[in-house]
Amino acid sequence: MSGIREWFEDRTGMKTLLKVALDEPVHGGAKWSYIFGSGLVFLFILQAVTGIVMASFYSPSSTSAWGSVYYLQYKTSFGWFVRGLHHFGSSAMMILALVHMFQVFIFGAYKKPRELNWISGVILLLFLAGFGLTGYLLPWDQKGYWATQVATNIMGTIPVIGKYIKIINQGGGDYGNFTITRFYTLHVFLLPISLVFFLFIHMALFRKHGVTPYWKMREEVMKNRVDPFWPDQVYKDVVFAIGMYAVLAGWVFWNKGAELNSPADPASNYLARPEWYFLFLFQLLKYCQGKFLIVGTVIVPALALIFLCVLPFIDRNTSRYPSKRIPFFGAVFSGLAGIIALTILSIHHDSHDIHIIHQREAAEKQTARAIKLAARGIPPQGGLSVFLNDPVALGEKIFKESCIGCHMVKGEGGETGPDFTDFGSREWVSELLKDPKGKKFFKESGAMPPVKQPDESLRDMAEFLLSQSGGLHNQSADRLERGKELVLKGNCVICHPIGDKDAKKVAPNLTGYLSEEWLKEFIKNPSDPKFYGTRNKMPGFDKLSEREMDALIQYLFSLSKDRALVSEKEEGNKKTKYVFGQTAPRSITAFKSES
């Protein structure tokens, strides 16, 4: 055995190499404050390993990228865990890099003779930001697609060369297949090679100059106490790495992996937001509009970068005591406070912006639909094509073509007809009973007087009326009984028939109110005497095919927070059915067979 070791050492020099790598003297003794650099190396290795695993499943094409990420996330054993480690590991690297940089700054480790070590660290931080930017697009989902467009538009504001940088990165004038292949090339080849090169320089300079101890450590302690890097400092580094991995793995399990949004849709109006570490810049741009946009996109970031690079040369005081560096502490921590404040402002604004809130709700629903539809298979046309056989998506298309000119949904559309935001929910019907002539409903054309009942009674009435559709979730028996009594023994039945499908009075028949059958008949012919008769102002849509009508109704159902479409696959006959509430609409089964 000893002969084999000698032969291997003679051919490789591995023992000598390990001795050089591990036999580094740590003057002043091993410290927990020195763990951050090694922690970053560990996270980089973790990112590389998980990235290689993901690359073996990934297909860098605008038609196959989303599908390949979906397959890794939902169909591969522990694929969600690998992707989650990679996704959240990038954020962990950014956080740890900032902590390491501030620790180096506080210790004064940027001072002579470590100027180049500091500058190489600043460059490495830029590479980390580049990894986050380029990796964000690769899933080719809504969030990454639109957030990356924000970033490339910022690049385009750089004077003279900006538009060329933007075109080179996009692979042309628009986002497409070349965009994803170029971002993939940057993320998987150019950035890793560049980062490894500067990381080697950074570590070589660190080994040359050694650690920078706590500023209060006496010179004699530095000389007299020397711990070996192995095993004293390595032990602390390994404990920290294990702790980081445990926290990261726990976070991945808690979040059930990284989020995958619905496939990128260039035709949508998605309100993009960048990753959290770019939010401060995004918020800054809100205060730099028009001709001042360049201040936020170029001037402020460039000045901050220049300041960091020249810091070792303008702070010429040999003392590393913070009290001797107050102007520089003030500048650095003011910048940090500004970044934190802008980030918090951006998060706070989005959490109170009704458009952002509605978009997130809609995005969550669309993502859930996309994931369920993808389970049946993703067509060759790409991830977005999973919606081709989705009745809700088809219904939304029909609604936007035929209905949105009169009916508003979440702030978009016309105002002639009732607002369909949350159409058919308990709240929507309660508001209709309370103020049918209000701006949200029939306005001056309305003939129905407001129902003079307390809000609680109106909710009871809405509960009973919606029970006619057979599709309301979590109905309260007590509320249903109270609502039934209020409707059937009140003034409603003077004008509205209820309980007899063919009965006619002066107002619409409420038998089966807002059910699939009721809506289908109403949309085809709202002028029917059982609905509005001669008072009707809405055109009929009797030219819609059965498939189109079913899809439109399912879209209307999807607008309600009290109703949901749930798809399930029947393994026995391999048919797909859509379940609305507790009932399975027959026409939707027909829809699937047609498509």
Side-chain angles (χ1 to χ4, degrees), residues 44-93:
F44 175 68
I45 294 172
L46 181 66
Q47 290 297 95
V49 171
T50 54
I52 290 170
V53 174
M54 291 171 63
S56 65
F57 291 90
Y58 184 69
S59 177
S61 160
S62 58
T63 56
S64 58
W66 189 88
S68 64
V69 176
Y70 166 83
Y71 182 82
L72 174 68
Q73 179 86 8
Y74 293 97
K75 298 299 182 181
T76 307
S77 298
F78 292 100
W80 63 271
F81 183 69
V82 172
R83 182 168 175 258
L85 283 178
H86 193 81
H87 175 82
F88 294 113
S90 64
S91 291
M93 276 195 81

Side-chain angles (χ1 to χ4, degrees), residues 449-511:
V451 178
K452 302 296 185 181
Q453 291 285 350
D455 289 347
E456 192 66 21
S457 297
L458 292 176
R459 283 190 284 271
D460 293 339
M461 294 173 69
E463 193 79 17
F464 172 69
L465 290 172
L466 288 172
S467 71
Q468 302 295 301
S469 69
L472 199 65
H473 293 313
N474 304 319
Q475 285 203 284
S476 166
D478 292 340
R479 188 180 288 278
L480 188 61
E481 192 60 35
R482 293 194 301 267
K484 180 179 180 180
E485 185 172 352
L486 285 167
V487 172
L488 298 183
K489 294 184 179 180
N491 294 329
C492 299
V493 293
I494 296 174
C495 300
H496 297 274
I498 186 165
D500 184 352
K501 180 182 177 182
D502 298 319
K504 298 178 178 65
K505 292 188 179 181
V506 295
N509 192 317
L510 299 181
T511 307

Side-chain angles (χ1 to χ4, degrees), residues 288-319:
C288 303
Q289 297 297 317
K291 63 181 180 181
F292 298 106
L293 183 63
I294 193 173
V295 175
T297 58
V298 178
I299 295 177
V300 171
L303 289 177
L305 185 60
I306 291 170
F307 171 78
L308 290 175
C309 290
V310 303
L311 177 61
F313 306 103
I314 58 178
D315 183 6
R316 307 180 68 86
N317 192 327
T318 56
S319 174

Side-chain angles (χ1 to χ4, degrees), residues 32 35 38-39 42-43 46 85 92 96 234-252:
W32 287 103
I35 60 176
S38 299
F42 166 76
L43 286 177
L46 181 66
L85 283 178
L96 192 60
V234 170
Y235 167 76
K236 291 179 170 58
D237 293 343
V238 169
V239 169
F240 180 60
I242 293 173
M244 277 197 306
Y245 180 80
V247 171
L248 191 58
W251 188 254
V252 173

Side-chain angles (χ1 to χ4, degrees), residues 231-404:
D232 295 47
Q233 187 62 45
V234 170
Y235 167 76
K236 291 179 170 58
D237 293 343
V238 169
V239 169
F240 180 60
I242 293 173
M244 277 197 306
Y245 180 80
V247 171
L248 191 58
W251 188 254
V252 173
F253 271 99
W254 178 265
N255 288 277
K256 300 179 182 177
E259 180 185 28
L260 177 64
N261 271 217
S262 59
D265 182 4
S268 64
N269 294 317
Y270 193 90
L271 298 176
R273 291 296 181 270
E275 192 57 284
W276 65 267
Y277 38 81
F278 291 126
L279 278 178
F280 77 95
L281 185 58
F282 178 81
Q283 185 68 20
L284 178 63
L285 298 183
K286 295 179 182 179
Y287 308 120
C288 303
Q289 297 297 317
K291 63 181 180 181
F292 298 106
L293 183 63
I294 193 173
V295 175
T297 58
V298 178
I299 295 177
V300 171
L303 289 177
L305 185 60
I306 291 170
F307 171 78
L308 290 175
C309 290
V310 303
L311 177 61
F313 306 103
I314 58 178
D315 183 6
R316 307 180 68 86
N317 192 327
T318 56
S319 174
R320 291 187 292 108
Y321 274 78
S323 59
K324 304 293 184 181
R325 297 183 285 144
I326 290 177
F328 301 103
F329 264 76
V332 170
F333 283 94
S334 294
L336 176 62
I339 290 173
I340 293 174
L342 288 170
T343 302
I344 292 174
L345 278 173
S346 179
I347 295 172
H348 176 77
H349 174 269
D350 285 356
S351 67
H352 291 79
D353 188 317
I354 192 66
H355 298 292
I356 297 292
I357 294 170
H358 282 160
Q359 178 193 262
R360 285 175 178 168
E361 292 173 351
E364 288 175 3
K365 289 182 180 180
Q366 182 149 336
T367 295
R369 291 212 313 273
I371 298 303
K372 289 172 183 174
L373 291 165
R376 309 171 197 169
I378 301 173
Q381 297 93 323
L384 196 60
S385 61
V386 298
F387 293 112
L388 290 176
N389 291 330
D390 177 27
V392 175
L394 176 61
E396 183 176 12
K397 180 176 181 291
I398 295 168
F399 183 88
K400 288 182 177 179
E401 290 173 351
S402 306
C403 313
I404 205 165

Side-chain angles (χ1 to χ4, degrees), residues 77 126 130 164 217 304 317 338 350 354 500 521 530 567 587:
S77 298
L126 293 177
Y164 301 107
M217 185 177 292
N317 192 327
D350 285 356
I354 192 66
D500 184 352
E521 292 180 8
K530 70 187 295 183
S567 66
S587 57

